[in-house]
Amino acid sequence: MTVITGVGAYAPRFRITAEAFHEAWGQFQAAGVNEKAVAAADEDALTMAYEAAGRALEAADVDAASVDWLAFASSRPPLAEEDLTPRLGAMLELDETATRHVFAGSTRAGTRALWAGMDALESGSTTGLVVAADAPRGVPDDGVDHAAGAGAAAFVLENGASGTNRGSAEIVDRAEYATPYPGTRFRTTGEDETRGLGVTQYDRAAFTETIGGAVAGLETDPDVEAAAIQAPDGKLPYRAAGAAGVGTDEIQAASTVHGLGDLGAASVPVSLASALADGSESVLAVSHGSGAGADALVVETDGEVPAETALESDDSLSYAEYLRQRGVVTSGPPSGGGAYVSVPSWRRSIPQRYNLEAGRCPECGALSFPPEGACSSCNALEEYEPVQLSGEGSIEAVTTISQGGAPPEFAEQQGRSGDYAAAIVSLETKDGSESASIAAMGTDAAPDAFAVGDRIETTIRRIYTQEGVTRYGFKVRPAE
């Protein structure tokens, strides 16, 4: 028996309201969306997946090294052609031999990944981690873009026979349905924006037929407390209530679209995660992917499922600020190149940038970060002993980087995000007995939220892009 033993969910801190869109365009085409989450300039589906996955592993009290099956799902992965699970696995410190799969190309990808995770554990894997993250994007004056939000959810799957005494959830029934409805929602090769033909009755028929077909394929007639239904906007899920065999109250109990927007492949996973975190004992989860196909899953709980979610925020953007964060309006790249770091050199530094691996001098015992070159305390040129830092510490010095002050390689992000904090932080070892001083960029807060002596924690974000390859690494934010 495969059970969900931990749930994590994450949404970026930025929000933009329907009113802000209406002021800019004179209309707002995302029915039922009051506000939506907006990915920051240094966020994408991969960094959001990291945030949600870390929370799920912590909630389940599972060591990442024990995960032997990983899935990453997104309709808009940061790269059109590259398997991002090696990067995600390294960020989370999964074993390098873990099986990995990518699911993409559809807003149905999140439930496809969860479905495959169940099959993997039934076939012999012991611990699975399924992560769905997305940030849809449309043409600026189109309803797809008006609704497009950002968020991620993650689920730890284990064999029920080896579970703990804590609560868990089981997918007790599942079914799928597919029939061709071309043109309902698509993004052609080379395009950046998702779009549709905008034929209302056609789109609605595709949505309700596939959802109804998937639910009809279940072996039992679900009687649930909450229904997590795909939400391209805030009204379409309710229009499918009859086809799904549920009421509007059940849909409302799991809905996240009204405050986060359309989360694409993460829409149903985030709503499912939210419903489980709220204590729902039975949930119907139904995804829809254009084309058109649907998955229906019935989830029942045995006690309260451990969950850690970060979905709330009141950090609102104006429409102009929204365009900056999205990179639609920037000052452009600066003249002159930045400091060049080759991809092979960057790869060698991944243990430091992802996992905060410092080094101990074997001669004097001092900690160094990064662990390279001569020891700063005794000048010894010996191979360092690896020591992993905890990701928690305090600020020793801080300044604000404003426009014109950022190094060229960071100028594009500064043009999108605005001023940011640059700090020297003291990161502690896991037992808190020692620390190492490290230079770091601030994120997730305005520069004035960082002050000397404040506690901070690390996360992983986009650093910059050179030669078309995005470099990811740790940044710091105010501790929760």
Side-chain angles (χ1 to χ4, degrees), residues 227-322:
I229 296 179
Q230 191 78 38
D233 60 33
K235 284 193 173 180
L236 205 51
Y238 298 94
R239 293 187 182 277
V246 296
T248 57
D249 288 345
E250 288 81 6
I251 296 174
Q252 180 64 44
S255 179
T256 57
V257 66
H258 307 299
L260 298 179
D262 171 18
L263 303 184
S267 173
V268 172
V270 170
S271 293
L272 173 59
S274 178
L276 293 175
D278 288 342
S280 294
E281 296 182 354
S282 56
V283 184
L284 172 66
V286 194
S287 66
H288 167 78
S290 57
D295 297 322
L297 310 171
V298 179
V299 182
E300 295 182 354
T301 67
D302 177 15
E304 187 173 338
V305 182
E308 290 194 17
T309 63
L311 300 175
E312 303 298 325
S313 178
D314 57 3
D315 198 341
S316 295
L317 299 173
S318 67
Y319 187 72
E321 291 169 332
Y322 165 75

Side-chain angles (χ1 to χ4, degrees), residues 4 62 95 154 162 219 270 331 343 345 357 391 441 445 458 460 466:
I4 298 170
V62 165
D95 191 278
S162 60
E219 294 183 0
V270 170
S331 58
V343 171
S345 295
E357 185 179 287
M441 297 173 67
T458 61
I460 293 180
Q466 280 184 342

